[in-house]
Amino acid sequence: MFTDLKNYFKSFLVLAVGMFFWPTMVDVFSAGSPKMRIFFMSWNSAIFPLALLFSFGSAVIGAIIVYKGKRSENVLAEANEKDRFWNEDDMIEEIRSVFYKVQNAWENNNEEYIKDYATPSFLNSFKELLKNKNDDSHIIDKIEISEIEVIGCQEFLDKKEDKFEGYIKGSFATSTINPATNEPVKKEFSELYYFVRIGNDWTLNMIDYKVGIWDILSIKNICE
């Protein structure tokens, strides 16, 4: 995930920097036209501050993303030294396992499949989703997970407050058939799974089905 986001901001940075040079290049090619030269000089003066702002902003956000990734790794390692409950491999496997249980519950229109793995709050929200589910909803099939990562962990002295966030990315085949290939149309997804600690179990508390950059930036990493 962090690789995808960093690549996005690298592309954005290149675009922003390119804004510096594009008017100048056009100005050179319009050397024979005084009116065009004046126009592009004015354009260059107007666009320069904007390009500077975009370049600086994208660089800062990219740096924050890198920092959050490293911070998550460090906090998780520190928490695991004090409490083996914070084992990264086990947490990733928990994300994977609960993800498939949620898909199973969705396909079978039955929240009972996840009642032992989710909080009452999540179960109530999931019931509402099932009630509003369209009869013609695409059937999810052939799920391929490409990435699972723990991106946030909050370890407190009061273990009842412990929680973590897991990112999962992949694709699935829908019931729609591509007429050109006669194959099911694939759709990519990325989701955030929010877990809370109940006793010695991680329990699903919320799912963010539409992950945005600000969702990532708002995630905290704490180790008391």
Side-chain angles (χ1 to χ4, degrees):
M1 177 202 62
F2 287 107
T3 300
D4 293 342
L5 289 173
K6 284 187 288 184
N7 287 338
Y8 168 78
F9 281 106
K10 283 179 182 177
S11 299
F12 187 73
L13 183 60
V14 170
L15 178 62
V17 172
M19 294 171 67
F20 289 112
F21 301 103
W22 180 79
T24 303
M25 291 174 62
V26 177
D27 185 36
V28 171
F29 287 115
S30 63
S33 174
K35 291 183 178 180
M36 290 296 292
R37 177 181 291 277
I38 293 173
F39 169 77
F40 285 118
M41 286 179 64
S42 300
W43 173 256
N44 195 40
S45 298
I47 207 68
F48 186 87
L50 184 61
L52 180 62
L53 178 62
F54 281 173
S55 299
F56 179 75
S58 60
V60 169
I61 294 176
I64 292 174
I65 291 172
V66 173
Y67 169 78
K68 277 189 170 288
K70 295 296 182 181
R71 177 61 178 162
S72 178
E73 292 177 2
N74 294 336
V75 170
L76 192 57
E78 184 179 349
N80 188 42
E81 286 184 2
K82 297 188 297 182
D83 185 353
R84 295 301 178 185
F85 186 72
W86 290 90
N87 181 278
E88 185 175 10
D89 292 337
D90 292 343
M91 294 164 72
I92 289 177
E93 190 55 39
E94 184 70 17
I95 299 170
R96 186 191 308 274
S97 175
V98 171
F99 169 81
Y100 281 113
K101 287 180 172 63
V102 170
Q103 305 314 311
N104 198 19
W106 176 260
E107 290 300 325
N108 290 279
N109 298 298
N110 190 345
E111 71 278 358
E112 292 294 312
Y113 285 84
I114 55 173
K115 70 175 183 178
D116 295 330
Y117 308 94
T119 62
S121 174
F122 178 79
L123 287 175
N124 288 334
S125 63
F126 193 75
K127 287 179 184 178
E128 291 301 314
L129 288 176
L130 291 178
K131 287 180 182 179
N132 297 320
K133 182 180 178 182
N134 296 327
D135 293 335
D136 60 348
S137 295
H138 290 323
I139 298 174
I140 298 176
D141 192 19
K142 297 181 180 178
I143 297 175
E144 296 179 0
I145 296 176
S146 58
E147 183 177 358
I148 299 179
E149 186 172 354
V150 176
I151 63 170
C153 51
Q154 299 92 54
E155 188 266 348
F156 298 97
L157 296 177
D158 183 357
K159 301 305 179 186
K160 294 179 182 178
E161 299 296 322
D162 288 353
K163 59 189 70 174
F164 84 89
E165 293 78 36
Y167 174 86
I168 185 166
K169 175 184 177 182
S171 64
F172 60 87
T174 69
S175 59
T176 303
I177 302 298
N178 185 337
T181 63
N182 203 32
E183 295 288 336
V185 174
K186 282 193 173 184
K187 185 175 181 180
E188 293 187 347
F189 68 87
S190 59
E191 300 173 350
L192 277 176
Y193 275 48
Y194 295 78
F195 289 86
V196 295
R197 181 173 184 170
I198 299 181
N200 286 320
D201 294 308
W202 287 117
T203 305
L204 180 64
N205 190 47
M206 188 177 76
I207 298 177
D208 186 348
Y209 298 99
K210 295 182 179 180
V211 183
I213 182 60
W214 297 115
D215 298 314
I216 304 298
L217 295 178
S218 64
I219 288 175
K220 298 178 180 179
N221 285 284
I222 302 170
C223 185
E224 293 186 345

